[in-house]
Amino acid sequence: MILKRHAAVACWAVTLCLSLSAAAQDNDAAAAPADTSARIKNTVRHPGSTTNRQGGVGPQSGAALPVGTGAVRSPGKQSTDGQSGLDALQAPVLERLNFHRELAGLPPVSAEPRLLKAAQSHSSYLDSANEMGHYEDKKTNPYYTGNSPFDRIDVVHYDYAEAGEVVARQPSSHPAAAVDALIAAIYHRFIILSVDFVHAGPGAVLKAHQGTEELNVTVDFGADVLPPRPPPSRLTVYPADGQTGVLTDFDPAEEFPNPMPGHTLVGFPISIQVDARHAFEVKSLELYEMPSSGAPRLLDTKLLTHAVDAETPAHAAALIPVVPLAPGTIHRVAFSGSVSGMPVSRTWQFVTAPTSKVTMSFASPAIAPGAVQRITLDGLDGEKGPYYLCYAPARLVKSVVHESEMQIAMTTTADCEPGTSCQVSVSTSYRSCAKPFADGTFAIVQ
């Protein structure tokens, strides 16, 4: 949980002693959380901090492109940077963070140069070290700025009242997709939707990795002065009341720590949280499927509270459906509990995204060696960002040109043996050729 900041100590000698003690405790990633009553600053909260584990969202190690497979990224929409001081990767991260905060009824976080410097350094470190997590141990790395989030934020002289950090490693080139992955991951969502953060530093690095692309994103959140404490009736829920297009599923194995060990694909998590300065108690939290006809159906879920799950902060709770949610369906959430001793209840609804399918078609099922195959994608959602067009065997493809996001010209080679028919497999994916959303084959015939 996020602790309240302690008052400054008047005696300079005591202040020096306490500062060194706080830095030493934060520097030890493996040590159990120490008593923070002697700290000048709170620890930087991140997933894994309460259970002494690395946190993050995405694969722990990068995946190489399959042997014999080629990939080309589509152009996507041109990035627009409306935030001063942010580059073409950082700006969409901040924009997407505030998109989700606005959905949840929270004020936006603004870019803070010192937090930006700390986050960008950490993303660069993770990228160069081929790692994921909140701790750095390679002091000879040119991007090393400190072992813990506390160290890195302290180095840039951001004097915070509260601070937090999230990291993601995604086989994608789209910053918004990395933020969406963070918001789907329940422990990371708790930090992103904290009401007491006012600043953010989005750091992002995109780099080719063994034939694929990887995006490392770090976001450092903070508040130098805490905003006024909201009333107990102020609840932050997600998905928000009336939200549409909500994802139906979540892969818990891609969040570290794993909130649902032993499970594969589960339903999209539902969360509720209050300001960390309030006491929070859950009496009941239930999720119902609301079919177009018939009675509501209570869904099987796992309830996460701090009492049963140390990674869930004391001011929050979550429901994780055991199986994916039904697409294109209204779902209702019912909560009953108390905030700082005041009884509070809330009922809200959201709608899951309908099933949508992107189809791939070819101008001709068979073409001659060296000819151009035209590929068309129908049903593509441009808001999801650029995708990867993957093809195998790569030796049969000379070039790939995106004439638009939906229209591709693929020129073949003359490597197909005379008198034979060679098959070319084509797929499209948002995740560097993993988990394709459309695929097909065509033949090269002499």
Side-chain angles (χ1 to χ4, degrees):
M1 62 180 289
I2 301 179
L3 304 177
K4 297 181 182 298
R5 195 184 186 191
H6 301 284
V9 182
C11 174
W12 69 267
V14 177
T15 300
L16 176 60
C17 178
L18 296 178
S19 298
L20 291 173
S21 174
Q25 290 170 17
D26 257 315
N27 224 13
D28 185 3
D35 177 26
T36 57
S37 60
R39 289 182 186 272
I40 296 301
K41 289 184 179 180
N42 304 325
T43 57
V44 178
R45 180 170 162 248
H46 63 79
S49 60
T50 59
T51 53
N52 301 307
R53 288 179 287 175
Q54 286 279 22
V57 175
Q60 286 190 309
S61 60
L65 201 65
V67 176
T69 299
V72 175
R73 191 203 325 157
S74 72
K77 288 186 175 181
Q78 294 300 313
S79 176
T80 57
D81 181 8
Q83 299 287 339
S84 176
L86 301 184
D87 66 24
L89 291 176
Q90 297 163 347
V93 171
L94 184 63
E95 179 183 0
R96 195 65 174 178
L97 288 170
N98 284 328
F99 166 80
H100 289 293
R101 285 179 64 91
E102 182 180 3
L103 281 177
L106 298 176
V109 286
S110 60
E112 209 290 328
R114 291 165 295 179
L115 292 178
L116 175 63
K117 183 178 180 180
Q120 189 62 44
S121 294
H122 189 52
S123 285
S124 297
Y125 173 91
L126 295 176
D127 175 75
S128 61
N130 194 25
E131 295 177 357
M132 183 177 71
H134 297 277
Y135 292 94
E136 300 181 7
D137 59 7
K138 296 176 173 59
K139 293 186 178 182
T140 59
N141 187 292
Y143 300 107
Y144 177 89
T145 52
N147 173 256
S148 72
F150 175 93
D151 297 325
R152 297 189 296 274
I153 293 177
D154 193 50
V155 163
V156 297
H157 306 296
Y158 180 78
D159 186 21
Y160 63 85
E162 302 287 0
E165 182 177 88
V166 294
V167 298
R169 178 178 188 162
Q170 293 293 301
S172 168
S173 65
H174 196 32
V179 177
D180 289 349
L182 285 165
I183 205 74
I186 191 61
Y187 298 140
H188 294 71
R189 185 194 302 172
F190 289 143
I191 295 177
I192 294 171
L193 299 185
S194 293
V195 70
D196 47 2
F197 291 146
V198 297
H199 296 145
V205 175
L206 178 65
K207 187 177 180 181
H209 177 81
Q210 298 186 49
T212 68
E213 287 186 311
E214 266 186 0
L215 187 66
N216 277 284
V217 171
T218 302
V219 184
D220 284 327
F221 294 92
D224 47 3
V225 177
L226 291 178
R229 184 171 64 173
S233 58
R234 170 73 176 273
L235 304 177
T236 299
V237 302
Y238 197 95
D241 191 15
Q243 186 173 336
T244 60
V246 176
L247 296 179
T248 59
D249 55 44
F250 166 62
D251 184 354
E254 292 197 349
E255 180 170 21
F256 303 91
N258 187 333
M260 292 282 282
H263 292 262
T264 52
L265 208 60
V266 297
F268 191 77
I270 289 83
S271 62
I272 183 168
Q273 60 193 93
V274 299
D275 187 281
R277 292 164 283 183
H278 283 302
F280 182 61
E281 180 184 3
V282 177
K283 291 185 178 179
S284 66
L285 185 58
E286 296 176 325
L287 176 64
Y288 295 86
E289 183 181 292
M290 310 295 288
S292 56
S293 61
R297 184 169 71 92
L298 178 65
L299 298 182
D300 186 13
T301 59
K302 178 182 180 180
L303 174 63
L304 300 181
T305 64
H306 189 66
V308 298
D309 177 50
E311 284 295 333
T312 299
H315 61 277
L319 279 181
I320 303 184
V322 175
V323 298
L325 302 176
T329 303
I330 297 173
H331 291 78
R332 177 177 295 170
V333 188
F335 164 77
S336 175
S338 65
V339 182
S340 290
M342 187 183 86
V344 177
S345 61
R346 173 75 62 84
T347 301
W348 74 97
Q349 295 187 159
F350 62 88
V351 183
T352 49
T355 302
S356 59
K357 184 171 178 58
V358 179
T359 60
M360 176 185 294
S361 60
F362 301 99
S364 174
I367 61 173
V372 176
Q373 177 66 275
R374 297 200 173 273
I375 305 169
T376 301
L377 299 176
D378 288 313
L380 186 69
D381 183 357
E383 294 301 317
K384 290 189 175 181
Y387 60 87
Y388 298 91
L389 187 126
C390 310
Y391 50 90
R395 63 179 180 80
L396 296 179
V397 177
K398 182 178 180 180
S399 66
V400 176
V401 176
H402 280 86
E403 298 173 335
S404 69
E405 284 292 289
M406 290 77 68
Q407 301 287 335
I408 303 102
M410 177 178 286
T411 303
T412 59
T413 67
D415 289 347
C416 188
E417 293 292 334
T420 64
S421 175
C422 298
Q423 294 287 324
V424 178
S425 298
V426 183
S427 64
T428 50
S429 168
Y430 293 112
R431 297 173 55 111
S432 289
C433 300
K435 299 183 179 180
F437 59 82
D439 55 38
T441 61
F442 68 90
I444 300 176
V445 180
Q446 285 281 3

